[in-house]
Amino acid sequence: AGGTRDVWTYDVARATMSRLTTDAADDQFPLWTLDGQRIIFTSRRGGRLELFSQRADGTGQAERLWTPEGSPGALAAEDWSPDGRRLVFVQLRGSPDIGVLSMEGEPKAEPLIQTEFNENHPAISPGGRWIAYDSNLSGPFEIYVERFPELGDRQKISTSGGVVPLWSPDGRELFYLSI
């Protein structure tokens, strides 16, 4: 029997759903790896929020990928750098902040965008040079873009509210939900 929330996959060709996780803990916020072989997700299996990795075909056991220090409040893997060496995530400690998990060697996390404001839904451009995110830095939630990974040259993209940015495959356009 599964938990309250499990991760499922959907086979478009066969129009079937398959349960990927069945642990009694909630498993949520899934994110495919770039090669499509694994799915990263958040779980409280060890009594605290951690990131896990599971083969997308459901074989094998889920593997603990990273355990954040302290109490993250909420934790969600959001996007990959195009080379797969960095995973950006959102961590809630008071207000949501964006961090980056280096996947070279032993996974190591560092804060990326940490302010007293809410930063959510990071999306790295296909070329890997920019990161888009939504923030209430200027009052209502708007879309911002900055250099990645070193940050700088922050630009507000939306003008009347926006959340959940998504880059076009060629990186020439940025889509978002207007609010």
Side-chain angles (χ1 to χ4, degrees):
T4 306
R5 295 183 206 160
D6 286 312
V7 175
W8 293 72
T9 58
Y10 181 76
D11 184 325
V12 176
R14 297 182 324 168
T16 59
M17 294 199 50
S18 300
R19 187 188 309 254
L20 183 70
T21 64
T22 59
D23 193 89
D26 281 347
D27 298 328
Q28 53 193 340
F29 308 121
L31 177 69
W32 291 91
T33 56
L34 294 178
D35 64 7
Q37 297 299 305
R38 301 186 76 78
I39 296 177
I40 309 300
F41 61 93
T42 302
S43 184
R44 196 181 291 275
R45 294 170 182 221
R48 56 182 300 177
L49 288 176
E50 300 172 293
L51 291 180
F52 286 82
S53 172
Q54 172 74 43
R55 290 192 49 81
D57 65 6
T59 61
Q61 297 294 315
E63 300 171 10
R64 183 175 287 110
L65 181 64
W66 176 63
T67 304
E69 294 179 13
S71 174
L75 179 66
E78 295 278 345
D79 200 8
W80 293 97
S81 61
D83 60 10
R85 294 179 6 201
R86 294 181 184 97
L87 171 66
V88 289
F89 62 90
V90 171
Q91 190 169 1
L92 176 64
R93 286 189 181 149
S95 64
D97 290 315
I98 298 170
V100 63
L101 186 63
S102 171
M103 301 303 291
E104 297 178 303
E106 187 70 26
K108 181 182 178 210
E110 295 179 9
L112 185 66
I113 303 172
Q114 258 185 327
T115 71
E116 66 272 20
F117 302 102
N118 297 336
E119 295 90 22
N120 284 298
H121 308 107
I124 300 173
S125 66
R129 297 182 57 219
W130 299 95
I131 186 168
Y133 58 94
D134 58 58
S135 175
N136 63 349
L137 172 69
S138 61
F141 277 92
E142 300 284 0
I143 302 298
Y144 293 88
V145 173
E146 291 195 52
R147 290 185 200 272
F148 181 81
E150 69 277 359
L151 300 184
D153 293 334
R154 180 175 53 217
Q155 301 168 38
K156 186 167 86 166
I157 302 300
S158 59
T159 56
S160 352
V163 293
V164 193
L166 176 67
W167 293 95
S168 65
D170 65 7
R172 300 171 102 197
E173 294 179 281
L174 185 62
F175 302 95
Y176 58 89
L177 295 174
S178 180
I179 55 172

